[in-house]
């Protein structure tokens, strides 16, 4: 039987999301910022985040598929690329969780070819122990060492995205 152990409450999430949104608003004041949400996992984080950002932004999404097992990133592919013109604009990639970093490393390379002013990363959770790439997570709400987490958009085989807090899934 799968067991769900609560580790981050909706109240703690709310506080951190507001704080990260304030940092982003300060850092990008006066700049042309596009937030790019990575579907599906970042849909809740991005929608909470933008409601606390106090500068004008534009929003787009992209969808990345990885054909590995349901707990890791395998062979990465962009299935719904963004149509927005990103040249000379500041891009902030909004992701649910960074694990090995392979997914974001692939997406960063994809955008670098399109001549943006900058590309940075905002991850709801920075899970650092299994990192295999040298990407830097510029903004994160929480840092965890390891473990498989679900809730607040994060899934296991498409389940548990709807949970308002973060849970450690033990199978
Ligand atoms: P990476 O390419 O290894 O950094 O993996 C990133 C992707 O793997 C995330 O966007 C998630 O879709 C998935 N993933 C990694 N760890 C977890 C987790 O603990 N819970 C849910 N999804 C995860
Ligand atoms: Mg994801």
């Amino acid at each position: 039987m799968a067991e769900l152990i609560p580790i981050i409450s909706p109240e703690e999430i709310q506080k951190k999301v507001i704080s990260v949104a304030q940092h982003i608003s300060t850092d990008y004041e006066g700049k042309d910022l596009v937030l790019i949400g990575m579907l599906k996992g970042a849909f809740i984080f991005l929608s909470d985040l933008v409601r606390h950002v106090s500068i004008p932004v534009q929003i787009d999404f992209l969808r990345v598929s990885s054909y590995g097992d349901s707990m890791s990133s395998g062979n990465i592919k962009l299935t719904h690329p963004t149509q927005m013109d990103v040249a000379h604009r500041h891009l902030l990639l909004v992701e649910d969780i960074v694990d090995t970093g392979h997914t974001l490393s692939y997406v960063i390379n994809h955008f670098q070819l399109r001549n943006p002013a900058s590309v940075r990363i905002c991850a709801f959770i920075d899970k650092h122990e299994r990192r295999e790439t040298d990407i830097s997570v510029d903004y994160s709400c929480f840092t965890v060492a390891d473990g498989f987490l679900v809730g607040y958009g994060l899934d296991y085989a498409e389940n548990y995205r709807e949970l308002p807090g973060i849970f450690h899934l033990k199978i």
Side-chain angles (χ1 to χ4, degrees), residues 78-91:
L78 276 185
T79 51
H80 287 277
T82 154
Q83 302 300 322
M84 216 174 246
D85 184 6
V86 299
H88 313 297
R89 311 184 73 187
H90 295 276
L91 310 183

Side-chain angles (χ1 to χ4, degrees), residues 96-146:
D96 54 355
I97 183 165
V98 185
D99 186 14
T100 64
H102 287 299
T103 306
L104 278 172
S105 179
Y106 177 91
V107 172
I108 288 169
N109 288 339
H110 164 83
F111 281 114
Q112 292 293 10
L113 301 172
R114 295 167 62 183
N115 202 25
S118 69
V119 184
R120 297 176 86 194
I121 295 170
C122 175
F124 178 63
I125 296 175
D126 182 357
K127 186 166 83 175
H128 54 82
E129 233 164 48
R130 305 200 313 156
R131 195 66 39 84
E132 291 170 2
T133 57
D134 63 0
I135 57 160
S136 64
V137 177
D138 302 286
Y139 303 93
S140 68
C141 292
F142 300 97
T143 301
V144 301
D146 212 342

